Amino acid sequence: MRAEYPNRLRYGLAFCLCLFTSILSAAEVNVYSARKEGLIKPLLLQFEANTGTKVNLITGNADTLLQRLISEGKNSPADVLITTDVGRLYRAQKAKVLQTIHSETLENSIPEQYRDPQGYWFGLSLRTRPIVYAVDRVTPEQLSTYEALGNPEWKQKICIRSSDNIYNQSLVASLIAHLDEEKTLAWASALVKNFARPPQGGDRDQIKAVAAGQCDIAVVNNYYLGIMLASKDKTEQKAANQVRIFWPNQNDRGVHVNISGGAVTASSKNKDSAIALLEFLASDTAQQWYAETNLEYPIKPGVQPSEILKSWGEFKADTLSLYRLGELNAQAVMIMDHAKWK
Ligand code: FE
């Protein structure tokens, strides 16, 4: 026979359950992400499943999200900001919308040069910006450094996207850090003279232009080539197979690298959950996922890159502390402007 609860007890039980569920679901974290939904959501769902913390995701253009954080001020619901370039994390830091955090897990997982020295932001994945060349027209022996791309032999042979692209701004900032402003301006001016066409399109378009014979070399983030090689679209795959990666500056500072990264906002009302989320994104599982899904390099030492990335071989990466790229961003933009890099 089924036990019958007196009404009062039944309502009481329901009330308790309700309260219990609301305590359980109280933990939440709000994320503003400049990373596209497909490249972050699966990880956030896994974090939710692991911790019971609800993650609310807003994706958008990095500058729009930053403006939103600034205008919302201390009332912003955001706890975490995620961007795909250190330049934007630095801008957010300067706009005072981030706070410093201390996490041994993050400090132990992420090499020093890929996080802010004060703890304002942390790299979560690593991307290189190597040279790609047409396999039928260029030999690797002809290539050496970014600096050499300014040599007259490359006249009208180089494709690269525009100067308003932050990846290029960060690359130029790294040259300022390693050379100086004057030498970087001379280099940028020479590089512009070697452009095969006015800058247009994204990194994938530069790869396609090399494959189509519009130019012989391009400078692109590694994962764009990786994604094209793994693409189900046969024309993309074919174009990608017509180029090869060259790791520049291997006899000196190494190839230019950048990060996607995250930070806890100054307005965060869920700081512990925000830190826990960043720690999860730096975990082996999440690092492996980035490597496999977006063909980026894991930032955590010891985590293996994907097969495609392994096929490109080992390389020396620039060890410049990435906050310098943020610091030098304004100078980089000015130099590109002076060099008439459109
Ligand atoms: Fe990108």
Side-chain angles (χ1 to χ4, degrees), residues 73-90:
K74 64 181 191 320
N75 296 321
S76 173
D79 298 298
V80 170
L81 173 69
I82 288 174
T83 81
T84 58
D85 181 281
V86 70
R88 295 252 169 55
L89 288 169
Y90 187 85

Side-chain angles (χ1 to χ4, degrees), residues 36 84 127 161 167 203 221 223-224:
K36 289 189 197 86
T84 58
R127 47 267 299 282
R161 66 202 284 184
Y167 304 147
D203 279 2
N221 281 2
Y223 54 90
Y224 289 110

Side-chain angles (χ1 to χ4, degrees), residues 149-289:
L149 297 183
N151 293 349
E153 63 183 289
W154 298 113
K155 194 169 166 58
Q156 293 182 345
K157 290 199 172 4
I158 297 177
C159 280
I160 192 163
R161 66 202 284 184
S162 72
S163 59
D164 61 17
N165 169 251
I166 195 135
Y167 304 147
N168 281 338
Q169 293 171 7
S170 290
L171 171 65
V172 173
S174 81
L175 270 110
I176 302 172
H178 288 293
L179 310 173
D180 59 34
E181 273 192 65
E182 207 183 303
K183 287 188 185 123
T184 306
L185 174 59
W187 169 77
S189 307
L191 180 73
V192 168
K193 293 202 178 81
N194 289 342
F195 286 179
R197 59 177 190 176
Q200 53 196 271
D203 279 2
R204 265 180 261 217
D205 298 306
Q206 315 310 317
I207 297 170
K208 287 175 193 165
V210 173
Q214 285 179 279
C215 34
D216 284 353
I217 51 183
V219 179
V220 299
N221 281 2
N222 70 272
Y223 54 90
Y224 289 110
L225 180 63
I227 289 167
M228 286 174 71
L229 284 168
S231 173
K232 288 189 184 79
D233 178 334
K234 291 283 171 232
T235 37
E236 277 219 335
Q237 207 186 79
K238 193 174 164 218
N241 275 309
Q242 285 168 274
V243 310
R244 295 286 181 275
I245 274 196
F246 180 84
W247 301 112
N249 298 79
Q250 294 302 288
N251 296 325
D252 47 78
R253 63 183 180 273
V255 63
H256 170 65
V257 291
N258 209 320
I259 51 164
S260 82
V264 177
T265 64
S267 66
S268 175
K269 279 124 200 130
N270 304 293
K271 189 175 170 183
D272 290 346
S273 299
I275 295 173
L277 176 60
L278 292 181
E279 289 175 346
F280 170 73
L281 293 175
S283 69
D284 286 31
T285 330
Q287 290 290 304
Q288 201 67 62
W289 187 86

